[in-house]
Amino acid sequence: MTYTFTQSKALFQRAAKVIPQGIYGHFNPATTVPGFYPYFISRAKGCRFWDVDGNEYIDYACAYGPMILGYAHDRIDEAFARQARNGTATMPPSTLLVDLAEKMVEVNDCADWAVFAKNGADAISWAVALARGYRKRDKIVLAHGAYHGTQPWAGTNHIGVLPADRADVLMAPWGDANAFRRVVEENKNRIAGALFTPYHHPVFEPQALPAPGFWRDMRRICDENDIVLIIDDVRAGWRLDIKGSAHYFGFRPDLACYCKAIANGYPISALVGTDRMRMVAAKAFQTGSYWNNSPEMAAALACIDEMQKIDAAAICDSRGGELRRGLEERAAAHGLSFRMSGPNAIPFLHFTNESNFKRAQLFCRECSLRGVYFFWHHNMFLSAAHTEADIQKTIDVADQAFQIVKDQFGE
Ligand code: PMP
């Protein structure tokens, strides 16, 4: 079957008339290989989606992370729908608020309490406010290249950001505890919080796992200097470990932010914290119109239970391991320098002999034209719905794409 994108392109032209950019943010076609990828989908089930031209894909974007158990998952969707029939946004909240907070405390290693919002950025902004309120200091340390959302202080946007928005943000390289210590010493008693991802997953770059002792050192520096350690586990949360990525890497943050994999695609995020952060959390006024909606909470409870029951993190790791081995072996057989960096469940693909992504784009384009949805600019995601047969099919498609890269680039 030849993949064409006539309907996608026509729809995009309609979209561009009424929506700035047609599709905005990280869902914009510019993040793929425009012209060779679908712009709009019509349906998704399991680890597959079908675009508006009828093309079928094995999906490794997983909606940038929320899909962990498979699209249109019967159990999660039924939990959501059942609760929706009982009302969605109510005042006072439903009993599910308590059930879900109890579940978060039970599941998460570092949690004595939990609160809920909608997006990752909501939970992270809440955490930063709590760190400042707790320490009564201004400064926050972030890592170069880390993504924490589009809040002005997070440094991702360039439009509409004032110098004042970034005035209290200090930067340090990810993974270098000595460099972090130097930033802390240069700003003695002025840093409220350190906000880091559990491992480094920048865009346009290979990923980096923490070196042995890194998190132990970071924890110690924070403790010695009364700095609140905040973990942004929005992207990696629960794909590595149902107890949270901090547990996976063997340390305890003071605050942890979750979002994407909580409810298999239904909109909910969470901030969890330790007892010492409880008082300041009790004083802070943070809220949103839909933050206490009950159907998302029902979906989250079902999703967490299902993830525990099937050990979703272990499945993602195992399938991701098969994918990594298969792709690296096939690439090597073609004489190509190719590597998957980061955890098995959240890999980033790159050709190690290029920095302009030309090979990666051609590779992804040829995979897309054969029904495998890969990314070149951003890490990808495995889900518990990917089967061994899906991975095998993906490796066979990748083999053909590697051949095309070889023919065009020679190495
Ligand atoms: N932190 C990380 C690590 C993320 O990957 C994201 C989303 N890609 C965010 C924060 C922001 O989450 P949201 O887009 O839901 O606000």
Side-chain angles (χ1 to χ4, degrees):
M1 170 182 165
T2 307
Y3 279 35
T4 53
F5 305 98
T6 317
Q7 297 300 329
S8 262
K9 288 176 190 165
L11 211 52
F12 191 74
Q13 280 179 353
R14 266 177 62 202
K17 291 194 182 126
V18 287
I19 303 165
Q21 292 179 44
I23 304 170
Y24 37 85
H26 58 333
F27 296 90
N28 187 279
T31 60
T32 61
V33 184
F36 299 91
Y37 268 69
Y39 297 175
F40 293 94
I41 74 152
S42 60
R43 177 169 82 84
K45 181 76 186 166
C47 72
R48 283 178 164 68
F49 67 76
W50 291 262
D51 70 12
V52 287
D53 287 278
N55 306 315
E56 176 180 322
Y57 297 89
I58 302 175
D59 178 26
Y60 292 92
C62 294
Y64 282 105
M67 191 282 268
I68 182 144
L69 295 173
Y71 293 112
H73 189 285
D74 289 341
R75 178 175 174 198
I76 317 305
D77 292 357
E78 189 43 47
F80 181 92
R82 201 178 321 116
Q83 185 57 29
R85 287 191 286 273
N86 286 334
T88 54
T90 56
M91 169 63 202
S94 84
T95 55
L96 293 174
L97 175 64
V98 186
D99 295 342
L100 184 57
E102 282 175 350
K103 193 69 179 170
M104 295 294 290
V105 168
E106 177 199 315
V107 166
N108 281 284
D109 220 17
C110 60
D112 294 313
W113 52 264
V115 289
F116 303 99
K118 286 285 128 223
N119 285 293
D122 303 332
I124 290 166
S125 298
W126 201 336
V128 167
L130 295 192
R132 287 180 166 146
Y134 180 70
R135 275 288 145 235
K136 305 208 167 18
R137 298 174 183 168
D138 299 338
K139 305 277 182 215
I140 300 290
V141 186
L142 313 180
H144 294 294
Y147 183 79
H148 299 294
T150 60
Q151 313 84 313
W153 57 263
T156 317
N157 271 335
H158 306 291
I159 305 276
V161 177
L162 307 175
D165 293 324
R166 299 269 298 160
D168 290 309
V169 174
L170 303 168
M171 303 303 290
W174 195 97
D176 184 344
N178 287 331
F180 176 65
R181 189 190 296 279
R182 281 195 295 280
V183 172
V184 169
E185 277 161 11
E186 282 158 16
N187 294 274
K188 255 311 189 219
N189 300 324
R190 298 176 70 200
I191 300 174
L195 170 62
F196 285 88
T197 53
Y199 79 94
H200 198 34
H201 45 57
V203 278
F204 307 116
E205 269 179 56
Q207 306 187 99
L209 295 173
F214 169 70
W215 278 119
R216 182 202 57 219
D217 293 348
M218 292 293 284
R219 181 69 266 182
R220 186 181 306 143
I221 298 165
C222 288
D223 287 343
E224 287 168 0
N225 292 278
D226 293 328
I227 293 169
V228 176
L229 179 56
I230 309 166
I231 288 306
D232 175 352
D233 212 3
V234 164
R235 191 177 311 176
W238 297 342
R239 257 194 173 74
L240 304 183
D241 194 316
I242 188 77
K243 294 183 176 169
S245 303
H247 176 85
Y248 182 80
F249 290 117
F251 70 101
R252 281 173 69 88
D254 301 300
L255 297 170
C257 307
Y258 297 101
C259 176
K260 292 177 187 281
I262 293 187
N264 202 46
Y266 289 105
I268 183 164
S269 60
L271 168 63
V272 305
T274 55
D275 263 331
R276 73 175 178 135
M277 302 302 298
R278 189 189 292 268
M279 276 306 284
V280 70
K283 286 185 198 155
F285 181 74
Q286 296 280 345
T287 189
S289 296
Y290 304 106
W291 286 12
N292 284 342
N293 276 21
S294 55
E296 293 90 313
M297 294 184 178
L301 281 161
C303 182
I304 294 168
D305 193 58
E306 188 69 16
M307 286 193 288
Q308 283 181 306
K309 200 168 97 194
I310 65 171
D311 197 350
I315 299 173
C316 292
D317 178 59
S318 159
R319 297 289 177 270
E322 291 157 23
L323 182 68
R324 177 196 297 265
R325 279 189 298 280
L327 262 55
E328 289 183 348
E329 275 167 24
R330 298 291 177 105
H334 287 283
L336 295 169
S337 309
F338 173 90
R339 207 169 88 77
M340 304 269 271
S341 65
N344 287 338
I346 315 174
F348 178 86
L349 67 81
H350 70 288
F351 290 81
T352 57
N353 56 341
E354 69 173 12
S355 51
N356 60 8
F357 298 103
K358 293 284 182 216
R359 289 172 186 77
Q361 286 175 356
L362 177 62
F363 174 73
C364 288
R365 178 185 110 167
E366 294 303 318
C367 288
S368 169
L369 293 174
R370 290 165 177 78
V372 169
Y373 196 89
F374 273 163
F375 274 160
W376 60 271
H377 73 295
H378 189 283
N379 65 254
M380 306 184 293
F381 299 86
L382 275 293
S383 80
H386 287 90
T387 64
E388 285 177 21
D390 295 322
I391 303 296
Q392 198 47 56
K393 183 169 177 210
T394 302
I395 293 168
D396 290 342
V397 162
D399 194 53
Q400 298 170 40
F402 282 134
Q403 181 64 57
I404 292 167
V405 173
K406 174 78 179 175
D407 292 345
Q408 191 146 326
F409 288 90
E411 56 167 5

